Amino acid sequence: MRRYLWLTLVVSAAVMLVIAGWITSPSPISGAEIGQFDRPGDPERGRLVFAAGDCASCHASPGQSDRLHLGGGLALASPFGTFRVPNISPDPKDGIGKWRSIDLANALLRGVSPDGSYYYPVFPYPSFAHMSAADVVDLMAFLRTLAAVPGRAPAHEINPLFGIRRFVGFWNLLYFDRSPIEPDPRRDEKWNRGRYLVESLGHCAECHSTRDMLGGVEAKTRFAGGPDPEGTGFYPNITPTRIGKWSEQDIAEMLGSGNTRDHGRVGSSMSDVVDNTAMLPDGDRDAIAAYIKSLPARPTPRP
């Protein structure tokens, strides 16, 4: 009886490991979906996607002024350790010069690298996952026009437990929603465009929210502000609780010039964001403002 019990436990454990391995395995784009990314992109449209995605704020090499010098290396501190942003220049050895559009699509939409391993969600693929195929292809076309930057970013310095990338699969089960952002027929075109820019390309909730102990965004704090993961400040509440007196025009003006409603200026990391949103067409900034104004009011979490 004891041997039977042990055998049952061993078999059960083996079955559970197999199931866990299956449900946490990376899931790159496959089948008919691949064809969406097998076409030339428009680099000029890709330039706007690059700006809306705030790509330069993380991937530009620190210590130099060229925001298109995408050698990476920026250190991002977090409760899980320090992550280093990778080189995404067209360098064939240290950057993404050998990537195809489908490789970029897997990174952005699935959080999966060309070698089939997971990226850590410090890279905001949970938001980028809602990008359109056209925007991915156009972004790749733009990235290919930039200068190659030699040099690989230093390795991450994180807790060894989190060095097991397969564990990201469990995180994805809890927090990763890949469902597309469908246009809301009850809303106009401007609002729907703003929703796409805020929820996907702009990944605004990734910063303006509080995260739980596993690093996932707490739904009740979405857009209501939260601590900077680096422990250097607090991202503000951008729901009507905090900016209810701001008009759509006030928000659009801030996104274009950095000037705030109370005659101040944005600072810290938001100034980098404004460097990018200032490059967008007026219509996109107006759309972002319309969507932000429609957010439900939520109380600011305690720092």
Side-chain angles (χ1 to χ4, degrees):
M1 180 62 72
R2 183 174 296 178
R3 272 188 283 180
Y4 177 78
L5 178 60
W6 275 109
L7 179 61
T8 301
L9 290 174
V10 169
V11 171
S12 298
V15 170
M16 291 176 66
L17 284 173
V18 170
I19 293 174
W22 177 66
I23 64 176
T24 63
S25 60
S27 179
I29 298 166
S30 62
E33 291 182 278
I34 293 179
Q36 302 176 79
F37 307 98
D38 188 19
R39 64 174 182 79
D42 180 342
E44 284 308 307
R45 283 198 73 256
R47 182 187 299 273
L48 297 179
V49 176
F50 181 85
D54 198 32
C55 307
S57 293
C58 284
H59 290 281
S61 303
Q64 51 82 48
S65 59
D66 184 357
R67 292 176 63 78
L68 299 181
H69 187 279
L70 304 180
L74 179 69
L76 298 175
S78 80
F80 309 103
T82 300
F83 296 88
R84 296 282 182 170
V85 179
N87 182 331
I88 61 166
S89 80
D91 187 89
K93 179 182 177 182
D94 300 320
I96 62 172
K98 293 182 178 180
W99 282 28
R100 303 162 296 161
S101 292
I102 187 62
D103 295 320
L104 182 62
N106 277 318
L108 293 167
L109 308 183
R110 300 297 177 89
V112 177
S113 71
D115 67 9
S117 62
Y118 283 119
Y119 286 113
Y120 293 107
V122 66
F123 169 50
Y125 65 82
S127 291
F128 291 148
H130 306 298
M131 287 176 64
S132 68
D135 278 352
V136 173
V137 173
D138 291 340
L139 175 59
M140 182 53 119
F142 173 67
L143 291 174
R144 286 172 175 154
T145 69
L146 303 180
V149 180
R152 191 176 294 270
H156 301 315
E157 301 172 21
I158 56 177
N159 185 306
L161 176 64
F162 304 117
I164 304 173
R165 292 192 182 233
R166 194 56 173 268
F167 286 172
V168 175
F170 290 105
W171 190 94
N172 285 345
L173 288 174
L174 295 173
Y175 303 107
F176 189 22
D177 177 11
R178 300 203 316 255
S179 54
I181 297 177
E182 300 289 354
D184 186 340
R186 299 168 300 178
R187 299 282 192 165
D188 61 20
E189 184 178 351
K190 182 170 78 168
W191 184 92
N192 277 296
R193 174 63 175 168
R195 180 188 182 200
Y196 175 72
L197 290 168
V198 169
E199 298 283 4
S200 180
L201 287 184
H203 58 281
C204 306
E206 300 284 348
C207 287
H208 291 280
S209 307
T210 295
R211 295 180 178 273
D212 61 24
M213 64 181 297
L214 295 179
V217 170
E218 294 183 358
K220 66 182 181 180
T221 72
R222 192 171 180 83
F223 298 112
D228 180 342
E230 297 189 79
T232 58
F234 194 89
Y235 289 106
N237 186 332
I238 57 172
T239 77
T241 299
R242 175 69 172 79
I243 62 170
K245 294 182 179 180
W246 286 46
S247 66
E248 289 185 20
Q249 184 177 3
D250 291 332
I251 297 172
E253 170 64 25
M254 182 274 294
L255 294 172
S257 68
N259 296 325
T260 65
R261 181 179 181 274
D262 56 3
H263 307 293
R265 284 189 61 82
V266 297
S268 189
S269 58
M270 191 61 195
S271 62
D272 290 332
V273 173
V274 169
D275 285 341
N276 292 301
T277 54
M279 293 188 283
L280 299 178
D282 290 344
D284 277 354
R285 288 192 294 273
D286 291 342
I288 291 171
Y291 182 71
I292 291 294
K293 279 294 292 182
S294 76
L295 292 173
R298 291 192 172 117
T300 302
R302 291 178 179 237

